[in-house]
Amino acid sequence: STTLISTLTTDHEQVITELDSMKTYHYRVRCRDAAGNEAISGDYVFTTANSIADGISPTVSSTYSGYSSTRISDGNYDSFGGEASTWATESATLAHWVEFNLGTSRTIERVAVYWAWNATQQRWMTSQQFRIQIWNGSTFADVSTVNNSVGDSCTFVDIATVAATRIRYYQP
């Protein structure tokens, strides 16, 4: 909780520190008007970001024309952005992948996959099956297999903490 700000205003801001990266937090807003009437919002959520892949140019198996693989790691998580903020594969039947070469060994314990919104079908374009893989020095090895992911804007995949120089999203 935070300290009550006694100055009346319609513009509110609260800085929150010491949050863990890539974690989901719940919050409510509690306010009082000049007459002392209190209002409490519903439960809202936000997820912190701290991606080790931001700014790293990924290698991809293929893309639709008009899309760019660099949009995978540009820090823009706007799932409604269409071609301006997403990447897509050109085959629904062939395996495809996105690989990040981190350049140096990094500790990985959670992967976030942000999905795009299909305005025509009014649904999230989530994959129902994918693997998270790491490079073990000679080949990619599965560290997680996801089946039937929930149709939402983001799928979080928690993995056993591992150090890796390369990580890959693999769609069979």
Side-chain angles (χ1 to χ4, degrees):
S1 68
T2 60
T3 305
L4 176 66
I5 300 169
S6 59
T7 307
L8 295 177
T9 181
T10 58
D11 184 26
H12 302 277
E13 179 179 299
Q14 181 61 50
V15 176
I16 305 171
T17 61
E18 299 181 26
L19 300 177
D20 292 329
S21 64
M22 302 215 30
K23 300 293 181 186
T24 300
Y25 291 89
H26 293 257
Y27 71 95
R28 293 177 193 237
V29 177
R30 184 175 169 182
C31 296
R32 286 197 181 107
D33 64 16
N37 299 311
E38 184 177 74
I40 301 174
S41 74
D43 183 43
Y44 293 97
V45 297
F46 67 91
T47 302
T48 55
N50 187 11
S51 174
I52 62 173
D54 282 356
I56 294 174
S57 295
T59 304
V60 296
S61 59
S62 60
T63 62
Y64 283 121
S65 60
Y67 286 82
S68 168
S69 62
T70 58
R71 295 188 177 116
I72 295 172
S73 59
D74 65 1
N76 181 351
Y77 302 114
D78 179 9
S79 298
F80 295 98
E83 289 183 10
S85 64
T86 57
W87 169 84
T89 61
E90 63 187 32
S91 175
T93 58
L94 299 175
H96 46 274
W97 45 262
V98 175
E99 176 190 337
F100 292 95
N101 184 335
L102 304 173
T104 185
S105 184
R106 306 287 292 270
T107 301
I108 302 165
E109 58 188 27
R110 189 174 220 202
V111 175
V113 180
Y114 289 87
W115 305 104
W117 177 254
N118 184 321
T120 304
Q121 298 178 3
Q122 292 293 297
R123 66 180 179 88
W124 294 104
M125 294 187 287
T126 56
S127 172
Q128 297 303 298
Q129 181 184 45
F130 63 91
R131 300 176 191 159
I132 301 299
Q133 302 176 322
I134 60 153
W135 183 253
N136 65 15
S138 59
T139 188
F140 279 98
D142 293 347
V143 291
S144 182
T145 299
V146 176
N147 290 303
N148 300 315
S149 63
V150 176
D152 201 349
S153 61
C154 183
T155 300
F156 289 102
V157 182
D158 291 310
I159 62 175
T161 302
V162 63
T165 58
R166 294 161 61 186
I167 187 166
R168 179 166 86 165
Y169 163 92
Y170 179 80
Q171 174 76 50

